[in-house]
Amino acid sequence: MNQNVIKTDPALSTFYADLHIHIGRTRYGDAVKISGSRDLTFVGIAKEAAERKGIDLIGIIDAHSPVVQRDIREALDSGEMTEMNGGGIGYKGTVILLGTELEVREPGRKEFHLLAYFRTLKDMESFTDYLSRYMKNVNLSSQRVYVPALELQREIISRGGIFVPAHIFTPHKGIYGSTAPRMEEVLDLSMISAVELGLSSDTEMAGYISELDRYPFLTNSDAHSLAKIGREYNELAMAEASFDEFKLALQSQAGRRIKANYGLNPRLGKYHRTYCALCSSILDEEQISEDRCSYCGSTKLIHGVLDRVLSISDREIPLVSEHRPPYHYQVPLEFIPGLGKVKLRMLIEAFGSEMAILHRVSELDLASIVGNELAGLIVRARNGELGLSAGGGGTYGRVSL
């Protein structure tokens, strides 16, 4: 079992889960996610999650691709990986959920992305057979599926799958950010298992929209490189890392549940605030103007997540149920000034994984490896005490000292 599993009672343990990781290339060099790193192979992701990140449950969301499925089969046939009895594929204590990210466009609306996860490789292969009839290139990531969204939902649920609208608030193909002010206009709400908040939003922002009250929230990295794995993640209470247990956690059944979400402070997200495409200014709270840049007067604005949420909200103040898991602002280690690759490697060699560094290692022990200043910054990041500048227009925010 992964060293990051912490016993909570005789039946359940705590697991860290990042459920949105892309494949860049196959082991043979076939392109899957064009913008993804070549190091993002199926086996490469599993190794990074298990050996460096300390992520117990990972969702690889390009597993619908036949060339990726070839890599999976080879890893299973060689004995490097095994299919879990509870669903998913095991590698050195980390379990992989087989997922897909797809694009749908309804008539008269802009496109949006969705995630789906399946219990077994056989289930995913069945879904691939279906997709191949409605996609131009089924081997590539995040491709358009030329069917109605409701039909796609039914196909996923009929195979025992989990349906999750992806990065729901982002202006780049999020269902609220791009497509509609309400999900009910394009989806069957009864067939949604959870929603993914995305890098530029958090639980409180989602609390402005009453339609979301019924759904669990997921926070995931949407990683396009190995380094980005685990920049956002979820803490789950389950009996084991598996598809079946994850499904129970989403339903809050038998004590299984989402214990917490860990994500970037929305100000660090690259779509948090409105951005002027002409003068490249990020318009923060004090510079917001209705439809015009307050710096140059241009109307070429990319509206940020916060501004979009406020424009479609049906509440004047956000409502967050007391039963909703806490959302912890997590500054990824790569965002911390002065913590480069060499020092991060030293920390991982000393303490085992990034999850251990982020959650458990004392400031004194951190200082013994990287010195007092960096140790202090890591602990301040852990406690949400670092200053931040807002991101927007595709540019991440920054940690300021």
Side-chain angles (χ1 to χ4, degrees):
M1 183 161 295
N2 196 297
Q3 63 181 337
N4 290 288
V5 177
I6 306 169
K7 293 296 182 182
T8 55
D9 62 49
L12 302 180
S13 300
T14 294
F15 299 84
Y16 296 119
D18 181 359
L19 302 163
H20 190 152
I21 302 169
H22 283 282
I23 296 278
R25 300 289 189 275
T26 69
R27 62 176 297 186
Y28 298 103
D30 306 284
V32 180
K33 184 71 173 179
I34 303 300
S35 60
S37 167
R38 298 182 67 89
D39 295 333
L40 283 168
T41 63
F42 191 82
V43 173
I45 292 168
K47 288 182 176 179
E48 181 75 7
E51 298 172 8
R52 278 180 56 88
K53 298 293 183 176
I55 301 292
D56 307 292
L57 187 67
I58 56 173
I60 297 183
I61 51 81
D62 295 316
H64 70 277
S65 168
V67 291
V68 172
Q69 291 168 7
R70 177 189 61 200
D71 284 2
I72 299 171
R73 284 289 178 197
E74 290 183 1
L76 292 172
D77 291 342
S78 70
E80 185 176 18
M81 298 185 182
T82 57
E83 290 202 84
M84 306 292 291
N85 290 333
I89 293 177
Y91 175 84
K92 293 186 177 180
T94 289
V95 173
I96 303 158
L97 295 186
L98 300 180
T100 179
E101 183 176 28
L102 302 169
E103 181 175 298
V104 179
R105 183 172 184 176
E106 295 294 285
R109 300 180 185 270
K110 292 183 179 180
E111 61 275 9
F112 69 95
H113 284 184
L114 59 90
L115 302 171
Y117 305 93
F118 293 96
R119 190 176 189 277
T120 67
L121 179 56
K122 184 177 180 181
D123 294 333
M124 180 61 81
E125 288 171 335
S126 168
F127 189 59
T128 296
D129 288 341
Y130 165 77
L131 290 178
S132 63
R133 302 195 296 271
Y134 304 104
M135 293 175 68
K136 292 182 177 178
N137 189 341
V138 74
N139 276 308
L140 294 181
S141 170
S142 310
Q143 295 297 290
R144 178 80 56 82
V145 185
Y146 292 90
V147 297
L150 293 177
E151 178 183 332
L152 197 57
Q153 279 188 284
R154 288 191 291 268
E155 291 291 336
I156 291 166
I157 299 303
S158 70
R159 290 173 171 81
I162 294 170
F163 180 93
V164 179
H167 44 75
I168 55 174
F169 292 118
T170 61
H172 183 65
K173 301 179 182 180
I175 190 166
Y176 288 118
S178 175
T179 305
R182 295 291 176 269
M183 291 193 300
E184 66 181 358
E185 296 180 20
V186 290
L187 295 174
D188 183 334
L189 298 184
S190 70
M191 291 192 284
I192 297 174
S193 303
V195 297
E196 183 187 59
L197 294 178
L199 299 179
S200 296
S201 60
D202 59 12
T203 294
E204 184 175 356
M205 291 168 66
Y208 278 103
I209 299 176
S210 61
E211 183 181 55
L212 292 172
D213 291 350
R214 63 192 285 191
Y215 300 112
F217 295 161
L218 295 173
T219 47
N220 300 312
S221 69
D222 196 356
H224 287 51
S225 67
L226 292 177
K228 294 294 191 293
I229 294 173
R231 64 178 166 181
E232 297 209 350
Y233 53 95
N234 311 276
E235 184 180 358
L236 308 176
M238 303 184 297
E240 65 175 8
S242 68
F243 179 92
D244 291 346
E245 287 287 317
F246 175 59
K247 203 167 187 178
L248 288 174
L250 292 183
Q251 298 165 350
S252 296
Q253 290 189 9
R256 281 73 169 166
R257 68 194 189 281
I258 301 173
K259 293 179 64 177
N261 303 119
Y262 290 84
L264 298 177
N265 185 305
R267 291 179 63 83
L268 285 174
K270 60 184 180 179
Y271 297 110
H272 181 58
R273 298 306 314 210
T274 295
Y275 173 85
C276 177
L278 185 63
C279 72
S280 301
S281 297
I282 293 175
L283 310 182
D284 211 340
E285 287 89 347
E286 65 271 17
Q287 294 115 13
I288 286 296
S289 178
E290 183 66 25
D291 293 307
R292 190 175 296 276
C293 176
S294 55
Y295 291 108
C296 72
S298 172
T299 58
K300 296 180 179 179
L301 302 181
I302 301 171
H303 287 281
V305 169
L306 177 58
D307 309 303
R308 172 62 173 171
V309 169
L310 295 176
S311 73
I312 65 173
S313 66
D314 59 353
R315 289 174 172 148
E316 292 187 2
I317 58 174
L319 176 64
V320 179
S321 167
E322 62 181 10
H323 303 296
R324 178 77 68 184
Y327 188 105
H328 299 296
Y329 292 150
Q330 184 75 68
V331 176
L333 292 173
E334 66 171 317
F335 277 70
I336 296 177
L339 184 60
K341 293 181 179 179
V342 173
K343 291 182 178 178
L344 179 56
R345 184 172 66 249
M346 292 168 59
L347 286 171
I348 291 173
E349 289 173 353
F351 304 117
S353 71
E354 290 189 15
M355 290 298 108
I357 296 163
L358 286 166
H359 289 281
R360 295 190 299 280
V361 181
S362 71
E363 183 172 357
L364 184 62
D365 287 339
L366 292 171
S368 70
I369 304 298
V370 294
N372 292 330
E373 184 176 356
L374 273 178
L377 288 177
I378 292 170
V379 172
R380 285 170 62 192
R382 182 187 295 171
N383 296 333
E385 297 171 351
L386 291 178
L388 307 173
S389 61
T395 301
Y396 289 107
R398 294 182 179 273
V399 173
S400 59
L401 301 181

